[in-house]
Amino acid sequence: MKQKILNEMNLETTLDKIYGVGLKIYKKLQKIGLNTVSDAIFYYPFRYEDFSHLKQINELINEESATIRGKIILLNNKRSPRKKMNITEMLLEDNSGQIQIVWFNQPYIKNTLQIGDELFVSGIVKKSLLGFSLINPNYEKTNRDTSHTARIIPIYPTTEHLSQKQLRYIIKQSLNCINEIQEKLPKNIIEKEKLIDLRDAIKQIHFPDNYKKLEEAKKRLSFDEILILSCLSKFIKKQNIELSSPQINFKEKQIVDFVKKIPFDLTQDQKKAAWQILKDINNKIPMNRLLEGDVGSGKTIVSFVCAYNVILNKYQTILMSPTQILAKQHFENATKFFKDYNINILLFTNSDRLLFNGKKEIANKLTKNEISKFIKKSNFIIGTHSLIQQKVGFENIGLIIIDEQHRFGVRQRQELTKKSDISPHFLSMTATPIPRSLALTIYGDLDISRILQKPVGRKKIITKFVSQQNRSKAYEFIYNQIQNGRQVFVVCPLINESDKLGVKSVMSEYEKLNNDIFPNLKIEYLHGKMKETEKQKILKSFSESETKILVSTSVIEVGIDYPNATIMMIEGADRFGLASLHQFRGRVGRSIYQSFCFLFSDSNSEKSKKRLEILTKTDDGFKLAEFDLKFRGSGDLYGIKQSGFMSNIKIADLSDLELIKKCNTWAQYIFERGIEKFPEIKKEVELLSSDIHLE
Ligand code: ADP
Ligand code: MG
């Protein structure tokens, strides 16, 4: 019966209808997001193994991957007595010789094959006592079109218990529906960019005939991905323009007074950014602006100036940050800066911790009603994302500021403004520098302000790569600094050693420093799995300079300001991207004292050493981001890949700025002619945009 359905298969057919796919496999497929034939078609391999060159048995080389073709002359199942394993043994013969082939715990193989069958077998050649053998190789009968052997084999991301072989089979079956996929690009683009046909590209990305075809397929699919992304940006921007925001008048006199009272002079870049924002919000079209500036460049005060102007217009401002620690710090800063102004400030990190004007802390669970009352009374509401999760109404919001996030706005705007006709203005702030043309694509719907200058008087942070031999010298240096009153951060990649063998962990470093190296200093540790109250306690002790050394995971990556900390020690530095390392480094150097960043790494690889040395030479976040692109590719650059916005990027390399520029130009072309004229592109863009709204 399933065979019959197979003939009527279409893109929407669920994969359990495929012959041989039972409920059990179907459930596993669903776990990796594969429900329908269409899902399977668009599930791309993440790498390939080359089994395309047939070898004679007597030509095999130890440890090399190879494909051979031969006839079965022996086939047996036996049990290994000690390990209770089932072993299938085969002897395969070609014109040049014989080879032993072994599978563990796959007894069914014996039932699917017979002596005399001709097979392709692909695997890694291993030398054993009895000559060469292949262990757990892929195999296929030669009388079929091959998908597991004798070709460039796709390797898919998968979970345990769902084999490559099963996936390949399912995808191969699904590809029978390839003709239902509609071409989305107009002919002129395809011709101008010398792209191959979409269906061809999809077929080749799964089962490439050769490397040239594979490259062509990648080129075509990358182009589509970036083009769609670029169109999506433009699409969202267009939608945004149709909404209406409160117009925030520029209260020049009060703003100038406020800026005068700030205990430092704003840099030119800060002034310019503030001015751009103030101009934007003096308009009914919602502002959607990204404020980019290196760590410590002073984004917060810029946002405060703007918040103040919004509040003067009798609208509320919300400031959201990714962590409670950061929210608390913003709250304290706001309380300080707005001390002499009649402004109600609320800290809201969850419903049992609510601070109003720094006075009351309510420790009991508040009812929705009570929370609402506090929110209504507040001018400036600072919190984490739990602000959104609360189903309390925000009715009078003029501006939403989102700190240390890569891109947002769309979903938050929807969530926060569900109950109101007016859409607030949006300001996102990030310390993640992104090359301009890339920003144009992923942030095409945003306007960007950049703070490039550092506040005056900041000293350059001295950054050094420390070899193992010099470790004790570094400790000595640290000890002296602490004796002079300074404090130290130690960042490690993991919490526990057992998480990954040999990688530096918070707990083991803490114990080492606390017990062996500095037994007479107060040392604490901090990681993301600790209770919030405990974290607060530890940070308080650090900010009061009681704790001298704080060992932590990357939880301190964003935003925290401890002027007295002057040393940042990073263990396992090779495990972080340059952009992250640069962020860690930005935790120090926030005062008049000279600060230091020490990089430690157990990796002996030249490449990783070279990479880390770049950090010792430059403190330009944009340059570092470009190096990251070069060294690490766009793999999970900036964490943006996880955001819904990027969910369509599977193949494209975001470091390919050339391609990005091209696609931006074509997206422009598409919108100039009207996206309605490109129905397949429109369909995809609309689908993605609704995904983002639901994200
Ligand atoms: P980030 O851009 O990383 O969020 P912050 O806004 O936290 O940086 O600013 C870092 C520190 O620099 C804060 O203590 C802030 O008060 C201070 N700061 C901001 N702007 C200036 C300036 N123009 N001159 C001197 N200090 C400044
Ligand atoms: Mg900040």
Side-chain angles (χ1 to χ4, degrees):
M1 168 165 152
K2 277 194 176 174
Q3 273 295 16
K4 202 171 137 234
I5 291 172
L6 198 62
N7 297 330
E8 296 158 8
M9 212 161 72
N10 61 42
L11 292 175
E12 274 79 52
T13 306
T14 51
L15 293 170
D16 57 337
K17 303 292 186 312
I18 290 180
Y19 181 75
V21 178
L23 196 62
K24 228 167 109 189
I25 295 181
Y26 184 51
K27 280 201 173 132
K28 290 179 201 162
L29 287 166
Q30 286 178 310
K31 265 204 187 128
I32 53 172
L34 304 184
N35 290 296
T36 63
V37 164
S38 160
D39 296 338
I41 288 178
F42 291 105
Y43 195 70
Y44 299 150
F46 72 102
R47 66 182 182 90
Y48 299 85
E49 260 167 33
D50 189 359
F51 289 135
S52 59
H53 300 290
L54 271 185
K55 281 215 163 161
Q56 297 277 343
I57 289 174
N58 68 355
E59 293 173 336
L60 296 178
I61 295 171
N62 194 21
E63 300 293 338
E64 265 188 15
S65 73
T67 299
I68 50 177
R69 178 187 180 137
K71 204 180 250 166
I72 304 176
I73 42 179
L74 263 176
L75 183 61
N76 265 320
N77 272 350
K78 67 176 191 192
R79 287 193 83 76
S80 104
R82 267 198 303 150
K83 290 188 181 161
K84 292 208 182 124
M85 243 191 301
N86 189 297
I87 302 174
T88 306
E89 283 181 326
M90 177 191 281
L91 206 56
L92 199 77
E93 182 182 67
D94 70 5
N95 294 332
S96 74
Q98 296 181 343
I99 186 167
Q100 186 199 30
I101 294 169
V102 179
W103 287 275
F104 294 108
N105 286 334
Q106 303 179 49
Y108 53 85
I109 288 175
K110 183 166 183 290
N111 307 329
T112 59
L113 298 174
Q114 280 183 341
I115 289 177
D117 281 349
E118 283 238 5
L119 294 185
F120 285 120
V121 182
S122 293
I124 308 290
V125 179
K126 292 277 177 213
K127 196 168 178 141
S128 68
L129 285 175
L130 304 167
F132 287 133
S133 58
L134 290 168
I135 315 287
N136 290 331
N138 297 326
Y139 65 93
E140 260 170 316
K141 290 190 192 174
T142 55
N143 55 9
R144 282 194 281 158
D145 186 13
T146 65
S147 43
H148 313 293
T149 59
R151 56 157 37 260
I152 302 173
I153 309 285
I155 310 285
Y156 297 95
T158 181
T159 59
E160 256 177 278
H161 310 305
L162 185 63
S163 69
Q164 292 295 332
K165 202 166 169 178
Q166 285 167 321
L167 267 172
R168 273 181 221 125
Y169 166 75
I170 288 156
I171 288 165
K172 186 139 204 182
Q173 296 303 311
S174 301
L175 284 173
N176 287 328
C177 296
I178 188 82
N179 287 337
E180 287 177 46
I181 307 273
Q182 299 302 320
E183 179 56 70
K184 62 185 143 207
L185 297 184
K187 272 213 179 68
N188 63 331
I189 298 186
I190 293 183
E191 275 167 19
K192 268 243 170 72
E193 295 297 335
K194 299 197 177 64
L195 300 171
I196 62 168
D197 175 75
L198 178 58
R199 292 172 190 166
D200 249 6
I202 295 171
K203 276 193 269 183
Q204 291 295 328
I205 204 77
H206 287 292
F207 298 105
D209 290 338
N210 53 50
Y211 282 109
K212 185 165 173 275
K213 289 264 170 66
L214 178 58
E215 279 318 305
E216 288 172 350
K218 281 185 181 164
K219 181 179 165 195
R220 166 66 212 249
L221 297 173
S222 303
F223 184 91
D224 285 20
E225 287 176 1
I226 305 252
L227 181 73
I228 293 291
L229 193 61
S230 213
C231 289
L232 178 62
S233 265
K234 291 197 158 44
F235 183 78
I236 293 177
K237 184 160 195 165
K238 221 171 133 220
Q239 273 187 331
N240 194 34
I241 288 173
E242 282 151 20
L243 299 170
S244 175
S245 285
Q247 188 167 351
I248 308 293
N249 296 317
F250 179 38
K251 306 276 187 190
E252 191 172 350
K253 191 182 165 304
Q254 285 110 313
I255 293 297
V256 169
D257 279 350
F258 179 74
V259 170
K260 268 192 197 144
K261 290 212 180 95
I262 298 173
F264 44 76
D265 290 332
L266 294 182
T267 61
Q268 278 309 317
D269 283 354
Q270 281 175 314
K271 282 184 197 159
K272 190 170 151 206
W275 181 78
Q276 283 171 329
I277 296 163
L278 291 170
K279 204 172 112 194
D280 274 5
I281 58 180
N282 194 352
N283 197 317
K284 280 198 168 356
I285 296 173
M287 173 181 75
N288 210 5
R289 186 170 280 279
L290 179 71
L291 177 56
E292 265 190 310
D294 224 336
V295 275
S297 62
K299 297 181 289 290
T300 316
I301 191 67
V302 172
S303 75
F304 283 5
V305 171
C306 302
Y308 182 49
N309 195 43
V310 171
I311 293 163
L312 288 172
N313 276 265
K314 305 266 182 308
Y315 285 100
Q316 293 166 302
T317 296
I318 291 184
L319 168 57
M320 281 202 288
S321 46
T323 64
Q324 300 196 9
I325 297 173
L326 205 52
K328 181 115 188 284
Q329 188 174 301
H330 281 319
F331 177 76
E332 281 159 7
N333 270 328
T335 307
K336 198 172 77 195
F337 281 112
F338 292 116
K339 176 166 96 262
D340 301 328
Y341 302 82
N342 189 21
I343 287 176
N344 292 327
I345 307 175
L346 176 73
L347 175 67
F348 184 105
T349 49
N350 60 43
S351 55
D352 357 304
R353 209 167 304 115
L354 189 148
L355 226 60
F356 186 68
N357 283 345
K359 285 176 202 137
K360 292 180 214 169
E361 178 149 8
I362 291 111
N364 309 328
K365 264 229 170 302
L366 292 172
T367 64
K368 218 184 272 180
N369 236 337
E370 288 166 315
I371 295 172
S372 273
K373 264 190 213 146
F374 275 107
I375 287 178
K376 267 210 182 98
K377 278 196 288 197
S378 308
N379 308 109
F380 196 5
I381 302 155
I382 298 171
T384 55
H385 285 230
S386 64
L387 270 174
I388 306 180
Q389 282 141 24
Q390 296 298 322
K391 299 278 176 282
V392 289
F394 292 99
E395 273 138 43
N396 198 31
I397 310 289
L399 171 67
I400 296 181
I401 303 162
I402 299 172
D403 191 23
E404 297 298 352
Q405 296 283 21
H406 299 298
R407 73 154 293 116
F408 289 98
V410 184
R411 177 181 63 117
Q412 278 90 345
R413 177 182 292 120
Q414 279 224 329
E415 286 283 334
L416 282 164
T417 55
K418 247 183 223 155
K419 293 174 185 142
S420 128
D421 297 334
I422 288 222
S423 171
H425 296 285
F426 259 82
L427 176 68
S428 312
M429 304 195 288
T430 177
T432 310
I434 295 187
R436 187 123 216 152
S437 56
L438 179 57
L440 261 179
T441 310
I442 30 185
Y443 299 143
D445 58 323
L446 303 185
D447 297 306
I448 300 180
S449 297
R450 282 184 166 164
I451 304 180
L452 296 171
Q453 297 162 315
K454 294 256 158 78
V456 283
R458 289 275 164 80
K459 287 206 178 77
K460 209 174 152 136
I461 299 163
I462 297 174
T463 305
K464 287 247 151 51
F465 180 83
V466 184
S467 63
Q468 278 312 323
Q469 301 93 284
N470 288 331
R471 185 177 272 273
S472 51
K473 266 196 210 146
Y475 285 142
E476 230 170 87
F477 182 83
I478 286 170
Y479 191 76
N480 284 332
Q481 286 277 313
I482 293 172
Q483 293 308 311
N484 289 335
R486 305 286 84 75
Q487 289 167 283
V488 180
F489 286 115
V490 179
V491 171
C492 302
L494 299 173
I495 300 176
N496 284 307
E497 204 77 21
S498 56
D499 297 347
K500 217 171 211 172
L501 234 55
V503 179
K504 296 279 179 185
S505 78
V506 169
M507 293 321 293
S508 62
E509 281 307 296
Y510 164 75
E511 269 155 31
K512 185 178 92 184
L513 295 172
N514 198 38
N515 301 336
D516 308 336
I517 315 258
F518 305 119
N520 59 342
L521 294 179
K522 184 163 163 70
I523 303 178
E524 298 261 29
Y525 62 86
L526 186 76
H527 57 73
K529 286 193 181 150
M530 287 161 72
K531 278 212 192 92
E532 203 53 44
T533 45
E534 214 173 326
K535 281 195 231 169
Q536 301 284 1
K537 218 175 78 196
I538 284 164
L539 288 172
K540 188 158 176 273
S541 149
F542 192 72
S543 71
E544 287 165 358
S545 292
E546 234 172 79
T547 299
K548 300 299 176 194
I549 302 180
L550 185 61
V551 187
S552 88
T553 51
S554 58
V555 287
I556 58 149
E557 182 168 358
V558 280
I560 310 181
D561 204 8
Y562 296 106
N564 197 43
T566 57
I567 295 185
M568 170 55 72
M569 246 184 95
I570 304 169
E571 297 285 352
D574 50 297
R575 306 205 155 243
F576 298 101
L578 293 176
S580 298
L581 293 169
H582 181 59
Q583 299 248 348
F584 296 144
R585 177 167 62 180
R587 297 303 113 226
V588 296
R590 293 180 169 227
S591 63
I592 50 159
Y593 306 114
Q594 176 62 53
S595 287
F596 303 86
C597 175
F598 296 139
L599 305 167
F600 294 85
S601 157
D602 296 329
S603 161
N604 293 321
S605 112
E606 270 310 302
K607 197 174 158 193
S608 97
K609 215 164 144 189
K610 239 168 119 186
R611 194 171 67 92
L612 293 176
E613 258 158 24
I614 295 168
L615 206 70
T616 65
K617 291 188 187 119
T618 179
D619 61 353
D620 178 336
F622 284 94
K623 263 201 200 131
L624 290 169
E626 281 183 14
F627 277 116
D628 256 352
L629 268 176
K630 255 200 225 145
F631 276 102
R632 310 225 301 184
S634 59
D636 178 34
L637 193 66
Y638 318 123
I640 39 187
K641 272 209 163 172
Q642 285 112 354
S643 77
F645 201 74
M646 302 293 282
S647 63
N648 81 318
I649 299 291
K650 295 185 240 170
I651 291 188
D653 175 3
L654 291 174
S655 62
D656 188 348
L657 300 182
E658 197 74 19
L659 174 65
I660 288 174
K661 269 185 212 153
K662 242 185 231 168
C663 290
N664 281 339
T665 313
W666 282 118
Q668 187 72 30
Y669 165 93
I670 287 166
F671 274 79
E672 273 163 17
R673 273 161 192 70
I675 192 165
E676 304 73 33
K677 300 216 174 85
F678 307 85
E680 289 299 318
I681 294 180
K682 181 163 181 258
K683 209 161 78 188
E684 207 167 320
V685 165
E686 279 176 347
L687 200 70
L688 271 174
S689 108
S690 65
D691 276 357
I692 292 175
H693 287 288
L694 294 172
E695 195 181 85

